[in-house]
Amino acid sequence: MTTVTLVQGDITRQSADAVVNAANSSLLGGGGVDGAIHRRGGPAILAECRALRASRYGRGLPTGQAVATTAGELDARWVIHTVGPVFSPTEDRSALLASCYRESLRVAGELGARTVAFPAISTGVYRWPMEDAARIAVGTVRAARTTAVEEVRFVLFDERAYAAFAAQPR
Ligand code: APR
């Protein structure tokens, strides 16, 4: 049974078996969580991302999918990169956001990861409203409780994000 916990802080300072990255489809880095993970995790992560682009993901990682690499210098064994949807006021992309959490948990289970740290995917550069993103995130993790993952830890960067996730039934 997966327990769901919340912490406020920097995901790159978490100790977990797997840390989930809010990546973009290029897998070649960016700002926000992506920038922080590559900065603190070091070049080994990017090297593996480049190898993935040269092989399985020649056209990039599609939105809603997830793939694992080494965690480099982070206090984790793996980084699971997932690409969130950019928020759209006209098109409901909720299923793609849910897929990020579901696919990351599937990959984590396949790896044998017991603890998985998630950021609030799509709520930064990709502009997804925090409350709705929290509803989708916690709801998806609760529905996927049968995975081998023992702890899902949402790592929220600020009080507003923390409050939005804390307001969700767990
Ligand atoms: N630890 C935890 N959460 C963080 C951190 C951090 N070090 N840095 C940022 N956040 C929070 C943001 O405040 C936001 O709530 O993570 C959430 C996701 O924000 P982004 O990192 O901007 O991710 P996203 O909205 O999914 O956009 C992805 O941004 O950085 C680029 O390369 C990335 O193109 C991709 C896009």
Side-chain angles (χ1 to χ4, degrees):
M1 186 69 171
T2 306
T3 58
V4 177
T5 57
L6 307 180
V7 297
Q8 186 174 328
D10 177 345
I11 198 166
T12 66
R13 293 188 178 280
Q14 291 296 313
S15 299
D17 290 336
V19 169
V20 176
N21 180 23
N24 60 60
S25 58
S26 79
L27 289 178
L28 302 179
V33 171
D34 203 1
I37 283 178
H38 282 284
R39 223 176 3 262
R40 186 172 296 278
I45 300 175
L46 188 58
E48 284 199 19
C49 287
R50 286 215 171 93
L52 287 166
R53 285 301 311 275
S55 56
R56 278 172 64 191
Y57 296 101
R59 299 162 57 87
L61 182 66
T63 300
Q65 292 190 23
V67 69
T69 64
T70 176
E73 304 304 313
L74 299 181
D75 190 4
R77 289 185 62 186
W78 302 281
V79 169
I80 295 175
H81 306 263
T82 191
V83 180
V86 175
F87 178 72
S88 162
T90 56
E91 181 191 344
D92 180 2
R93 297 173 178 168
S94 307
L96 282 170
L97 184 55
S99 176
C100 287
Y101 291 97
R102 199 176 313 109
E103 285 301 297
S104 296
L105 284 174
R106 181 183 60 75
V107 169
E110 285 172 1
L111 292 168
R114 286 175 298 104
T115 56
V116 181
F118 278 101
I121 299 165
S122 287
T123 61
V125 167
Y126 287 176
R127 297 193 326 282
W128 203 287
M130 185 61 75
E131 291 68 21
D132 191 49
R135 177 184 61 80
I136 293 168
V138 178
T140 303
V141 167
R142 287 182 65 199
R145 272 193 141 127
T146 54
T147 68
V149 172
E150 289 168 14
E151 181 202 355
V152 165
R153 191 182 320 147
F154 288 107
V155 184
L156 294 325
F157 209 38
D158 54 38
E159 281 178 28
R160 188 174 69 84
Y162 186 92
F165 276 71
Q168 299 303 321
R170 275 183 278 153

